[in-house]
């Protein structure tokens, strides 16, 4: 897990351990706290020592510093001061606790093990690894406590609206996970179906960029009748290139990460399906690779709308100036990546494919409409730390 707010240094590694005013807890955090500078100043003024640059430590200190009869009351009070995205797991000497922000931006779920034990995980796919069964998701604004007394739920902050991160459905979540009751793999196949309806083109083969473009490519093939083929082989030992810190490293990563399967591509009109284009450099290199091994045409189809705005809630995509869709038109992007044609899925098509109400999503990376106001200093803070 790359760090939330704060640079990638060992002091920011999770879980964060806090021992303060008699309260001992360990905390793991998925998301970003957008008012972290304000919280840091307030905690420092109270005389607390902050050891890292991570907003996750601030959450732990904020909880431990609250007055309250028990840990649940302290968490409840702390939640009223937190802005942004936070899915938390908290360990105390006698309890395991899950907490989700009132928007439910990042996923968090509950599993049951051997009939009387409880498991919390960001994604439901993790439960099967320990042979736990999925019970339900932690609801937005909910605190769930597992202890010797069983499982208890508290809702100290009402959730006025859901704002599930739509990029989880597009890219981040594993295909065998469920979020909001929706299976990610099936949602991505429906995205591929919708992508054909909006961007049909004559071709000989459909291939996907593994792994997150594969399901949409299968869906495009199903809807179009054009055969699906394995055109790119992924090296399983190379991680996600879009979060690598330096463009030169990303360039080398692509060469190591994907190898073309020549017989699938040579002398073919190829439809290349991927989940998104962030900076554009990766897609351009893949398109050139396909032409180099003999593709006659390369039609790029993207199973999401253009990513034009930065995420402030826990996905380290890029600052806006690095997002290609924020500065180039679709035709200019097509020319930049060297594709024969380029088509993105519409926001309406994406929402319909997922199958949840539009108002249940945070679509900020696509539309610039954030579920809550982002402090003016926060963008500058992230830029400096990256």
């Amino acid at each position: 897990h790359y760090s939330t707010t704060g640079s990638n240094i060992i002091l920011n590694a999770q879980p964060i351990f806090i021992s303060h005013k008699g309260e001992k807890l360990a905390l793991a955090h998925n998301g970003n706290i957008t008012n972290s500078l304000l919280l840091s100043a307030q905690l420092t003024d109270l005389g607390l020592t902050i050891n890292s640059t991570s907003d996750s430590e601030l959450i732990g200190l904020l909880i431990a510093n609250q007055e309250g009869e028990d840990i649940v009351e302290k968490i409840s009070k702390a939640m009223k001061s937190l802005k942004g995205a936070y899915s938390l797991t908290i360990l105390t000497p006698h309890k395991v606790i899950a907490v989700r922000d009132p928007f439910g931006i990042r996923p968090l779920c509950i599993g049951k093990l051997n009939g009387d034990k409880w498991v919390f995980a960001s994604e439901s796919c993790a439960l099967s690894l320990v042979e736990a069964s999925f019970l339900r998701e932690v609801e937005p604004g909910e605190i769930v406590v597992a202890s010797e007394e069983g499982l208890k739920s508290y809702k100290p902050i009402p959730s006025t609206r859901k704002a599930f991160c739509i990029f989880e459905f597009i890219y981040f979540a594993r295909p065998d996970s469920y979020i909001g009751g929706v299976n990610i793999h099936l949602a991505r196949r429906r995205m591929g179906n919708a992508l054909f309806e909006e961007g049909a083109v004559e071709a000989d083969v459909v291939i996907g960029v593994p792994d997150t473009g594969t399901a949409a490519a299968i869906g495009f093939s199903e809807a179009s009748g054009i055969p699906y083929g394995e055109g790119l082989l992924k090296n399983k030992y190379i991680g996600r290139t879009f979060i690598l810190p330096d463009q030169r490293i990303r360039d080398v990563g692509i060469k190591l990460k994907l190898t073309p399967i020549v017989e699938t591509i040579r002398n073919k009109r190829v439809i290349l399906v991927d989940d998104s284009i962030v900076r554009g450099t990766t897609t351009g290199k893949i398109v050139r690779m396909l032409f180099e091994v003999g593709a006659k045409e390369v039609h790029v189809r993207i199973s999401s709308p253009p990513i034009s705005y930065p995420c402030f809630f826990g996905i380290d995509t890029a600052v806006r100036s690095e997002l290609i869709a924020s500065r180039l038109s679709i035709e200019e992007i097509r020319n930049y990546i060297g594709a024969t044609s380029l088509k993105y899925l519409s926001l309406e098509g994406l929402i319909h494919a997922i199958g949840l109400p539009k108002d249940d999503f945070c679509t900020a990376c696509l539309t610039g409409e954030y579920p809550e106001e982002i402090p003016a200093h926060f963008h500058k803070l992230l830029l400096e730390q990256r």
Side-chain angles (χ1 to χ4, degrees), residues 76-99:
S76 300
K77 289 182 176 179
M79 289 174 72
K80 296 174 182 177
S81 299
L82 296 173
K83 299 292 184 182
Y86 53 94
S87 283
L88 311 173
T89 49
I90 300 170
L91 180 69
T92 74
H94 303 289
K95 296 179 175 69
V96 182
I97 304 166
V99 185

Side-chain angles (χ1 to χ4, degrees), residues 103-123:
F103 292 112
I105 296 174
R106 297 278 148 240
L108 191 61
C109 69
I110 309 168
K112 200 168 188 180
L113 180 64
N114 298 331
D116 63 348
K117 298 179 180 65
W118 305 100
V119 181
F120 298 119
S122 285
E123 291 189 47

